Amino acid sequence: MAAAEERSPLHGTGAAPRELDANGKARYDDGMAGPGVPMKDVAKPKRGNADPVFWDKARAHLVRYGGEFAPFIAERAQGSFMWDADGRRILDFCSGQMSAILGHSHPEIAEVVRRTVGELDHLYSTILSRPVVDLAALLASLAPGNLDRVLLVSTGGESNEAAIRMAKLATGGYEIVGLSRSWHGVTGGAASATYSSSRRGYGPAQIGSFVLPAPDSYRSGFIAADGTYDWRAELDFGFELIDRQTTGALAACIAEPILSSGGVLEPPVGYMSALRAKCDERGMLLIFDEAQTGLGRTGDLFASERDCVVPDFLTLSKTLGAGLPLAAVLTTPQIEDICHERGFLFYTTHASDPLPAAVGLKVLEIVIRDRLAERSRELGEYLLGGLWALQRRYQCIGDVRGRGLLAGIDLVQDRATKLPAPELAHRVARTCLELGMMTSVVRGGLGIFRIAPPLTISKAEIDLALDIFDAAFKKCLA
Ligand SMILES: Cc1ncc(COP(=O)(O)O)c(C=O)c1O
């Protein structure tokens, strides 16, 4: 039987390697990696985006961890652009995975990585080094309140996992409250507090996972007599339900200052301090997850500064490494001392690794030196102005919102019903890509573009993005 016919339908069609070797392993044409093929020959043939050998190999050997892969092969990324295998330039309007705030391959970051990997790369996790201690001290000095103790890990999920574990240990509780359009990661505790998508199919979340309605000022059903969004009534209602569900073991509430993956939902002014008060009344700790909003993205170094609310834990990730894997948990000495006394353990392979810490130090130096938070505020106003102009032109744009260089475009079937238009959003996103711009539509059938370009983006590049959006809407609505 031909190799392709033997394959499970889960592999999809056209996924078969050319043939199998004597041991049943995949073999590939054209000197690609395979039995007896030296690795130096790998990826030699450049055949453009359609390269069948590349896609055959990808389909045969990659787990599809997030739906479909983008339909091009990335060869290079620099500044605000990527280049694909056809030599096309693609504007990256999502900073990689909302992370590359300095643009791609920033020369100073490249230099730090080159130097540090040759001097002090990775260590046994109880060994400390200067970049780790310096980064912890710098983060503590920049963060609000007395969030003076820092744990350095690799990913956002991990940082939230650690914060949740510390909150449980410090309070003695185990119940965790999250917002209904949240994304905090895919590891156990973080996934249990993630409600925007992907809960189906994995069995029970952690016991004691409670949900609060996300503050959605565009679509909430809580409307006051004067027609405005009654977020106080919504929050009171949410906590009334939590008070009825709790077994008396509330540990923490975790929230993003702007819910990015949930569709760029910005809690109204006053919401976060009311949330803080609700937590305090119940002896719960408050975790702010600033994976996407941290380090200047929204016009302040931390988005939670706008609300003047200091959490008990601040988690940072994506933007801290500007695209390289680095994450941090900041908490108070009081909480850290209690956790330490109670035997806190979060011992990971890459905790306190010097290489990513050195990168984090350089990222912070550049963000502060180049005043990227201010830049984000100014360019954000420019971007939002352009998006509002598009909204005036296209009825399908129900709402444009955001702060700094984090913006959302909410597509609707009609403005009166506000029914989401996810299919149209995906069509517009595909057209944008054809026209040379990578965008991100949030998961969960919402039809909302989440826009987060590098903070180093130029006005001319924003103009290019607006032109591409304009052309894509025109084409898709024709
Ligand atoms: C707010 C927020 N927190 C946490 C995470 C998880 O981060 P990671 O994918 O690095 O685990 C994400 C990822 O999108 C996020 O947006």
Side-chain angles (χ1 to χ4, degrees):
M1 195 190 293
E5 290 161 12
E6 292 168 356
R7 298 168 64 76
S8 138
L10 278 178
H11 283 83
T13 53
R18 292 291 178 267
E19 51 187 295
L20 304 183
D21 69 9
N23 302 316
K25 292 268 185 199
R27 243 193 69 202
Y28 295 93
D29 288 343
D30 301 314
M32 303 300 283
V37 178
M39 284 306 286
K40 67 181 169 52
D41 290 344
V42 171
K44 274 268 177 64
K46 288 267 171 58
R47 288 211 191 97
N49 288 331
D51 184 346
V53 177
F54 176 93
W55 291 110
D56 279 358
K57 231 167 133 178
R59 288 192 194 104
H61 298 300
L62 292 180
V63 168
R64 287 161 288 181
Y65 47 82
E68 297 304 316
F69 293 112
F72 67 92
I73 303 171
E75 300 283 9
R76 192 163 70 83
Q78 192 95 48
S80 304
F81 292 94
M82 302 173 276
W83 281 262
D84 71 10
D86 290 344
R88 274 181 355 131
R89 195 181 72 158
I90 300 167
L91 181 61
D92 184 357
F93 227 41
C94 21
S95 309
Q97 189 65 39
M98 318 294 150
S99 301
I101 50 171
L102 307 180
H104 293 281
S105 306
H106 190 287
E108 290 175 79
I109 300 295
E111 194 278 323
V112 165
V113 171
R114 261 195 298 271
R115 179 164 39 82
T116 315
V117 80
E119 287 173 0
L120 193 58
D121 52 357
H122 156 81
L123 298 167
Y124 194 74
S125 296
T126 54
I127 299 176
L128 292 180
S129 58
R130 291 187 191 284
V132 165
V133 173
D134 288 347
L135 178 58
L138 181 56
L139 283 171
S141 73
L142 296 171
N146 67 331
L147 299 171
D148 290 340
R149 300 270 165 94
V150 180
L151 167 66
L152 297 178
V153 287
S154 307
T155 67
E158 256 185 295
S159 65
N160 291 323
E161 204 70 41
I164 288 169
R165 279 167 76 97
M166 289 184 94
K168 288 178 179 176
L169 201 57
T171 58
Y174 61 89
E175 292 166 342
I176 304 292
V177 175
L179 294 170
S180 61
R181 300 261 288 274
S182 57
W183 184 288
H184 298 297
V186 296
T187 54
S192 294
T194 291
Y195 294 94
S196 68
S197 60
S198 87
R199 286 177 81 86
R200 286 180 180 74
Y202 309 104
Q206 287 185 353
I207 290 171
S209 298
F210 300 149
V211 65
L212 270 182
D216 181 352
S217 51
Y218 182 56
R219 284 200 182 80
S220 173
F222 284 80
I223 303 296
D226 64 359
T228 58
Y229 169 38
D230 194 351
W231 59 265
R232 280 178 206 280
E234 190 181 63
L235 192 62
D236 286 345
F237 176 70
F239 270 94
E240 188 189 323
L241 295 185
I242 283 162
D243 289 341
R244 290 188 183 281
Q245 292 170 85
T246 181
T247 62
L250 287 166
C253 176
I254 180 166
E256 299 156 73
I258 296 177
L259 288 84
S260 177
S261 305
V264 191
L265 303 179
E266 185 179 22
V269 173
Y271 184 94
M272 285 304 183
S273 42
L275 183 63
R276 169 88 262 184
K278 297 275 190 205
C279 289
D280 291 347
E281 284 161 17
R282 291 161 179 79
M284 298 165 70
L285 300 176
L286 180 60
I287 304 168
F288 279 164
D289 175 356
E290 295 230 25
Q292 295 203 24
T293 55
L295 303 200
R297 162 72 65 205
T298 67
D300 290 303
L301 194 57
F302 305 105
S304 50
E305 284 176 54
R306 182 205 69 171
D307 305 290
C308 300
V309 174
V310 180
D312 300 294
F313 297 91
L314 177 65
T315 60
L316 302 170
S317 49
K318 295 176 180 286
T319 58
L320 183 58
L324 294 178
L326 173 64
V329 186
L330 281 72
T331 190
T332 65
Q334 294 79 0
I335 291 172
E336 198 274 339
D337 282 343
I338 293 173
C339 288
H340 178 68
E341 277 162 26
R342 295 180 182 173
F344 178 62
L345 183 74
F346 200 84
Y347 195 79
T348 71
T349 302
H350 297 292
S352 294
D353 259 357
L355 173 58
V359 169
L361 274 170
K362 184 54 83 176
V363 171
L364 282 170
E365 181 193 320
I366 296 171
V367 167
I368 292 162
R369 181 195 70 200
D370 296 351
R371 305 170 75 83
L372 292 184
E374 287 93 322
R375 185 184 169 81
S376 178
R377 198 176 311 155
E378 285 162 25
L379 287 178
E381 279 172 24
Y382 185 73
L383 170 67
L384 281 173
L387 295 177
W388 280 319
L390 287 178
Q391 188 187 19
R392 287 192 288 278
R393 218 166 303 150
Y394 299 105
Q395 281 294 312
C396 64
I397 302 181
D399 194 30
V400 167
R401 51 183 179 255
R403 202 183 330 152
L405 284 172
L406 180 59
I409 311 177
D410 199 324
L411 301 196
V412 292
Q413 296 176 29
D414 77 72
R415 287 188 182 178
T417 63
K418 299 180 183 177
L419 279 174
E423 195 277 328
L424 173 63
H426 286 289
R427 224 162 359 110
V428 173
R430 277 196 301 275
T431 310
C432 285
L433 188 55
E434 283 162 23
L435 296 172
M437 177 170 69
M438 182 75 187
T439 57
S440 164
V441 175
V442 302
R443 292 171 189 276
L446 291 165
I448 302 170
F449 279 92
R450 172 180 45 166
I451 292 171
L455 309 187
T456 49
I457 196 160
S458 68
K459 261 191 181 171
E461 289 163 350
I462 291 178
D463 287 339
L464 173 64
L466 292 168
D467 287 348
I468 291 177
F469 265 127
D470 193 13
F473 277 113
K474 208 173 284 165
K475 190 167 174 199
C476 290
L477 296 169

